[in-house]
């Protein structure tokens, strides 16, 4: 199933998209008492999942009548991110990122501050007054579905609610100047994800999904999630060994080669550019630079 959040008649609603992606069914319209998608992920029952499944085949409010937002617009934690998790990107990053290296013996984690996430069709603030190189990073995000503590890798997939397209938008000049990724990756609107979360049962594991970014229709990144050095089940086992990954946690798993800063001269985003992130089975996340 595909879960989303949207604005309808000025009110924020959450629920599912119909199977043909033409309509939405809010929790409220189905008499399910969830306040938000995060609330649903935390408290859902299998009986309610069945009600939603039954509604999936029916027509509802047309998607064209609502404005999709990020699936969880205000995540309850910052985003957990992996850096340099595809070898081709780890190599290209060596040229523009002073903190990058090609040794991938250990996973690299960092945090991305997210007060309000940008959803599909939202405008990326350019922040050109403090950062020149505004970059895109196509990533697969996983959304944790139940609290994970000391989870073994063979059971880790059971803890994933679903998958989503994610754009780890990055200010390369800030990243370089501060010798650390937190600030440059945490500016307002730099967490963009959506258009919806697709439940894990729609995918085969281990994952082998095409992942692409396009700028104004031109393909820049063209990878496959099977090339993830540290895949989702590894990440969940490693992190949950010491920190609880509670339901609703969002993990961005890293980006393949082809980011703008890796071109010479760089091909980062400019005002008016349309950036699309597409992952097989997860739809297209489209945003324009303001
Ligand atoms: Mg990234």
């Amino acid at each position: 199933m595909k879960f989303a959040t949207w604005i309808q008649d000025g009110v924020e609603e959450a629920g599912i998209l119909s199977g043909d992606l033409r309509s939405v069914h809010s929790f409220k319209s189905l008499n399910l008492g969830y306040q938000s998608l995060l609330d649903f992920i935390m408290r859902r029952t299998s009986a309610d999942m069945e009600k939603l499944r039954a509604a999936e085949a029916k027509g509802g409010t047309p998607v064209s009548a609502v404005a999709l937002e990020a699936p969880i617009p205000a995540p309850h934690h910052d985003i957990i991110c992996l850096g340099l998790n595809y070898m081709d990107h780890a190599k290209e990053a060596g040229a523009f990122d002073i903190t990058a290296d090609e040794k991938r013996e250990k996973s690299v984690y960092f945090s991305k501050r997210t007060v309000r996430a940008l959803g599909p069709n939202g405008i990326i603030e350019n922040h050109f007054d403090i950062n020149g190189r505004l970059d895109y990073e196509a990533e697969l995000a996983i959304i944790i579905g139940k609290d994970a503590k000391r989870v073994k890798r063979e059971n880790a997939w059971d803890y994933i609610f679903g998958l989503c397209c994610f754009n780890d938008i990055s200010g390369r000049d800030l990243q370089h100047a501060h010798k650390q990724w937190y600030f440059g990756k945490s500016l307002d609107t730099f967490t963009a994800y959506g258009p919806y979360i697709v439940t894990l049962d729609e995918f085969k594991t281990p994952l082998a999904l095409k992942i692409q970014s396009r700028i104004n229709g031109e393909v820049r990144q063209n990878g496959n999630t099977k090339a993830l050095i540290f895949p989702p089940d590894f990440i969940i086992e490693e992190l949950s060994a010491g920190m609880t990954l509670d339901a609703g946690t969002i993990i961005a798993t890293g980006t393949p080669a082809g980011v703008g800063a890796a071109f010479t001269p760089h091909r980062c985003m400019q005002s008016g550019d349309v950036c699309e992130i597409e992952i097989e089975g997860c739809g297209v996340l489209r945003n324009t630079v303001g």
Side-chain angles (χ1 to χ4, degrees):
M1 272 188 288
K2 296 176 176 69
F3 285 85
T5 295
W6 59 87
I7 301 289
Q8 185 177 340
D9 299 326
V11 177
E12 190 173 280
E13 302 278 1
I16 59 165
L17 279 88
S18 60
D20 62 6
L21 302 178
R22 290 186 176 177
S23 9
V24 291
H25 297 281
S26 66
F27 297 134
K28 201 194 296 173
S29 71
L30 299 170
N31 295 316
L32 300 176
Y34 299 103
Q35 302 303 309
S36 65
L37 183 49
L38 178 60
D39 184 37
F40 175 80
I41 292 170
M42 289 174 153
R43 301 196 291 120
R44 70 193 185 281
T45 64
S46 46
D48 288 346
M49 283 294 270
E50 287 315 308
K51 277 187 199 166
L52 289 161
R53 250 180 233 295
E56 199 182 10
K58 297 176 188 160
T61 304
V63 167
S64 56
V66 306
L68 290 177
E69 298 213 289
I72 301 171
H76 63 324
H77 305 298
D78 289 353
I79 312 297
I80 297 174
C81 300
L82 278 93
L84 311 172
N85 200 17
Y86 290 82
M87 190 56 79
D88 57 358
H89 174 64
K91 287 179 180 169
E92 71 172 6
F96 67 87
D97 182 354
I98 54 169
T99 59
D101 66 58
E102 292 181 27
K103 293 187 209 130
R104 302 286 87 230
E105 291 151 7
K106 283 284 184 188
S107 45
V108 173
Y109 296 106
F110 64 95
S111 171
K112 189 170 173 77
R113 182 151 179 83
T114 305
V115 175
R116 186 89 190 166
L118 192 66
N121 304 311
I123 303 295
I124 300 168
E125 291 178 27
N126 64 52
H127 296 284
F128 286 148
D129 53 335
I130 57 169
N131 172 78
R133 291 179 297 168
L134 173 67
D135 216 344
Y136 50 85
E137 293 191 353
E139 308 204 4
L140 173 74
I142 60 175
I143 289 79
I144 298 293
K146 58 181 177 179
D147 294 1
K149 191 174 173 71
R150 296 195 188 94
V151 172
K152 287 294 164 207
R153 191 167 179 178
E154 57 268 28
N155 302 321
W157 296 106
D158 298 340
Y159 288 79
I160 297 177
F161 176 73
L163 309 178
C164 197
C165 298
F166 190 98
N167 192 348
D168 176 18
I169 300 165
S170 303
R172 300 296 183 202
D173 292 326
L174 289 175
Q175 211 176 301
H176 197 268
H178 292 269
K179 300 182 173 52
Q180 222 276 352
W181 300 340
Y182 184 75
F183 184 28
K185 285 176 175 278
S186 296
L187 304 188
D188 292 347
T189 71
F190 276 20
T191 288
Y193 78 110
Y196 37 70
I197 296 170
V198 186
T199 48
L200 190 69
D201 59 348
E202 297 202 8
F203 301 91
K204 282 190 197 135
T205 55
L207 301 171
L209 307 174
K210 289 178 199 152
I211 177 167
Q212 201 173 73
S213 67
R214 297 184 290 271
I215 298 294
N216 304 324
E218 180 194 337
V219 175
R220 294 287 183 85
Q221 296 176 280
N222 201 10
N224 192 295
T225 62
K226 69 185 176 197
L228 281 166
I229 301 168
F230 303 105
D233 51 335
F234 174 93
I235 297 165
I236 290 171
E237 179 180 66
E238 182 166 77
L239 289 178
S240 77
M243 57 196 270
T244 302
L245 301 173
D246 60 343
T249 294
I250 301 169
I251 303 174
T253 56
T255 202
V259 302
F263 290 88
T264 307
H266 77 77
R267 301 187 70 195
C268 291
M269 297 188 287
Q270 309 296 326
S271 290
D273 281 353
V274 176
C275 180
E276 292 172 309
I277 309 294
E278 180 165 11
I279 299 176
E280 200 177 349
C282 297
V284 179
L285 170 67
R286 185 177 296 106
N287 297 102
T288 301
V289 179

